Amino acid sequence: MYRKINYIFTILALIFLQYKSFSFDEIKIYTEEKPPNNFEGPNNKVTGISTEIVEEIFKNAHINYSIEILPWARALDTASKNKDIGLYSLARTPDRENSFYWIGPLIKNDWSFFTRKNSKIKIHKLDDAKKYLVGVYKQSALSNYLLENGFKADKNLDFVNEEKYNPTKLERNRIDIWATGLLVGLFHAKEHKTTFVPIYTIKEVGLYLAFNKSTDKNLISTLEKSFDKIKNSEKIKSIQKKYGYKK
């Protein structure tokens, strides 16, 4: 009798310890203001297509989380130096590959060149854009990519500290080309009621939820499994449809 009771308590204890070992404190997640991927909506709530997918990952994994918008440079620096802090929407590039665990892709957001619809600019290869003034978001993976491929800050690149300034610059002919993510460019074209058009795909890019390599591997495994479970779900399809996203 006592042996049976001890056996039952042992099993319950093991179940409890297993549950406890895979329970997590509230996870902080940082992002930036960059619609339609991530932005502050009504009532100061962070929303956007990437945000809603990240929320579904955490809800399905039954992990508490909080999301905060920070300037991108600060968000990237904080997440890269601290464990158990999430960051999105992060472009997965070779120079970042070994610094993070990657969950996703949440969405595809190809880097693209945009011009005004009435522009006569034609781009057939990346180097063709070097004879024009290209507006780009400072300290972004895209700006780094252009610099690595021969564009120069004092010659053919015009940097801004926030992406939202480039649509106005393009509209007012202060830049010839706007380099940005396809979804971001199309969103701002609609918001500004201006006919910006993508004329060239610079690079195919996926955007991810990322954690630095000191993060608890159990957390990463749990989130990866959650993403794999929901990525083709009707809920994710409804989020994509809401934002006009097409794979």
Side-chain angles (χ1 to χ4, degrees):
M1 178 71 176
Y2 289 111
R3 190 174 296 175
K4 187 175 181 180
I5 292 173
N6 286 336
Y7 175 77
I8 292 171
F9 274 110
T10 301
I11 295 298
L12 290 173
L14 288 172
I15 291 171
F16 173 77
L17 289 172
Q18 184 179 35
Y19 172 78
K20 186 176 181 181
S21 67
F22 284 90
S23 64
F24 307 100
D25 294 332
E26 181 178 277
I27 302 300
K28 290 184 178 179
I29 311 169
Y30 294 134
T31 188
E32 64 176 330
E33 180 78 16
K34 199 169 188 179
N37 305 341
N38 11 268
F39 59 97
E40 187 176 290
N43 302 316
N44 300 318
K45 185 181 185 304
V46 184
T47 188
I49 182 170
S50 293
T51 301
E52 292 195 32
I53 294 172
V54 167
E55 288 177 331
E56 286 304 311
I57 293 170
F58 276 83
K59 287 176 184 176
N60 182 70
H62 304 289
I63 298 174
N64 293 326
Y65 65 93
S66 63
I67 299 176
E68 182 180 354
I69 290 177
L70 294 177
W72 183 244
R74 181 180 164 195
L76 180 59
D77 182 66
T78 302
S80 65
K81 293 178 179 177
N82 294 276
K83 66 177 183 178
D84 300 342
I85 292 180
L87 178 70
Y88 75 97
S89 305
L90 190 64
R92 189 170 184 170
T93 56
D95 60 307
R96 293 171 172 170
E97 181 66 31
N98 296 324
S99 298
F100 295 94
Y101 290 117
W102 302 91
I103 298 163
L106 307 172
I107 56 172
K108 183 182 175 186
N109 190 32
D110 294 345
W111 292 339
S112 305
F113 284 142
F114 280 77
T115 60
R116 296 172 296 278
K117 191 174 182 179
N118 60 358
S119 172
K120 295 181 180 180
I121 295 174
K122 303 291 182 184
I123 305 295
H124 301 289
K125 59 183 185 299
L126 188 61
D127 284 352
D128 291 344
K130 290 179 180 177
K131 58 187 176 184
Y132 301 104
L133 184 60
V134 179
V136 67
Y137 183 23
K138 189 178 182 181
Q139 294 183 320
S140 65
L142 174 50
S143 67
N144 291 337
Y145 181 84
L146 293 175
L147 288 167
E148 289 166 2
N149 281 274
F151 287 78
K152 297 185 182 302
D154 58 351
K155 184 178 180 182
N156 46 28
L157 287 185
D158 181 79
F159 292 116
V160 292
N161 291 321
E162 294 186 51
E163 187 78 273
K164 66 182 180 181
Y165 298 126
N166 272 325
T168 302
K169 284 191 166 188
L170 184 59
E171 194 173 23
R172 296 178 180 177
N173 295 306
R174 292 171 60 190
I175 55 175
D176 303 309
I177 295 172
W178 175 22
T180 189
L182 180 63
L183 292 180
V184 175
L186 293 174
F187 174 87
H188 281 285
K190 184 177 180 180
E191 287 292 298
H192 284 248
K193 298 180 180 178
T194 303
T195 49
F196 302 151
V197 292
I199 60 167
Y200 182 79
T201 299
I202 303 166
K203 184 179 176 66
E204 293 185 356
V205 176
L207 299 181
Y208 290 72
L209 169 65
F211 291 82
N212 88 4
K213 283 297 185 76
S214 60
T215 295
D216 184 345
K217 290 183 180 179
N218 289 326
L219 172 63
I220 300 302
S221 177
T222 301
L223 293 175
E224 287 175 337
K225 289 175 182 175
S226 178
F227 175 74
D228 287 341
K229 184 176 179 180
I230 69 166
K231 64 182 179 182
N232 295 315
S233 68
E234 291 302 315
K235 178 63 176 179
I236 297 301
K237 289 177 183 177
S238 70
I239 293 171
Q240 294 169 342
K241 183 178 180 181
K242 174 182 175 181
Y243 291 91
Y245 174 77
K246 296 179 182 179
K247 291 185 179 181

